[in-house]
Amino acid sequence: MMADPSRLILANCTIVDATSPSPREAGVVIGEGRVQELLPESSRATHGGAEVVDLRGAFVLPGLWDVHTHIGRGIPDIQARDESAAERAIRAGRNCMDALSVGITGMRVVGERDFIDVAWKRAFDSGDYVGPSLYTCGYFITTTAGHFLNSGCAIEVDGPEGFRRAIREQIKHGVDFIKLNMTGGVMGPDWDKMANTFPLP
């Protein structure tokens, strides 16, 4: 019987599915790009000629998520110079593809300049490039003297009108969520760190 190219069985797997307290042995049936069924290890069903790959006990687990990342960040000496948006965009895509190669199938991008994260999300979603699923916010929005202003990923605004305009701009560019940084936190100026530690009178 000819193999069905739309179906695949991963046999002799050690499954880590986060629903059981310990790994278990099973087979995995994949069809149309999705896991459809887990087979008991004792099952030898071929499921209508599906291709069978013997993993010889190798571990299979769900894709991992990086839930706090800036995909365009590079090593400090690169960041220190005046880098173009094109250079950062190329490195951001490479960072995403490298993440996928080690099992990270989803990334929540919590601040990126020039909407590079949105551009790569669209590229990956189109199928033209192979990369992880991206959940994007574009620039993050902060206040005057707020958090991480030297990152190049922040919009500095004040007051209701400033925030409304900034949020609408992010939505216009197709972000998935809005990130607000209301104070400097650990990366802000000294006076702002103190304001977070001790309530102002």
Side-chain angles (χ1 to χ4, degrees):
M1 180 181 294
M2 293 183 62
D4 180 352
S6 67
R7 292 174 66 80
L8 175 70
I9 295 178
L10 304 179
N12 298 324
C13 303
T14 303
I15 305 293
V16 180
D17 63 6
T19 64
S20 305
S22 58
R24 56 197 172 106
E25 294 183 354
V28 180
V29 179
I30 301 172
E32 299 180 355
R34 294 182 177 275
V35 173
Q36 295 185 335
E37 184 181 1
L38 293 182
L39 300 174
E41 183 53 36
S42 59
S43 172
R44 299 299 180 195
T46 61
H47 279 248
E51 179 184 358
V52 179
V53 177
D54 187 348
L55 294 187
R56 301 179 182 179
F59 287 89
V60 175
L61 67 160
L64 303 173
W65 271 80
D66 183 340
V67 298
H68 187 123
T69 186
H70 304 275
I71 59 174
R73 295 293 305 282
I75 57 178
D77 61 331
I78 292 177
Q79 297 297 128
R81 64 180 173 80
D82 187 15
E83 180 186 39
S84 72
E87 289 174 305
R88 187 178 179 104
I90 292 169
R91 186 176 59 257
R94 181 73 267 162
N95 287 344
C96 291
M97 295 176 203
D98 288 347
L100 182 64
S101 72
V102 296
I104 297 174
T105 60
M107 302 174 77
R108 184 176 68 123
V109 188
V110 292
E112 188 51 66
R113 60 178 275 198
D114 302 307
F115 299 100
I116 289 169
D117 53 344
V118 177
W120 274 113
K121 173 189 173 71
R122 290 171 176 164
F124 295 144
D125 288 351
S126 74
D128 292 336
Y129 298 87
V130 178
S133 298
L134 298 183
Y135 191 58
T136 64
C137 78
Y139 290 92
F140 63 78
I141 303 170
T142 188
T143 59
T144 295
H147 177 70
F148 210 10
L149 289 174
N150 64 350
S151 67
C153 300
I155 295 177
E156 188 176 16
V157 299
D158 293 293
E161 183 58 34
F163 275 90
R164 276 195 293 266
R165 182 180 298 275
I167 289 169
R168 288 170 179 165
E169 187 72 15
Q170 304 309 296
I171 293 171
K172 180 180 76 174
H173 282 87
V175 302
D176 297 305
F177 70 102
I178 302 296
K179 178 181 177 181
L180 303 178
N181 284 330
M182 307 311 291
T183 65
V186 297
M187 304 184 81
D190 289 340
W191 61 264
D192 196 45
K193 294 175 190 175
M194 295 298 292
N196 285 315
T197 304
F198 304 102
L200 295 175

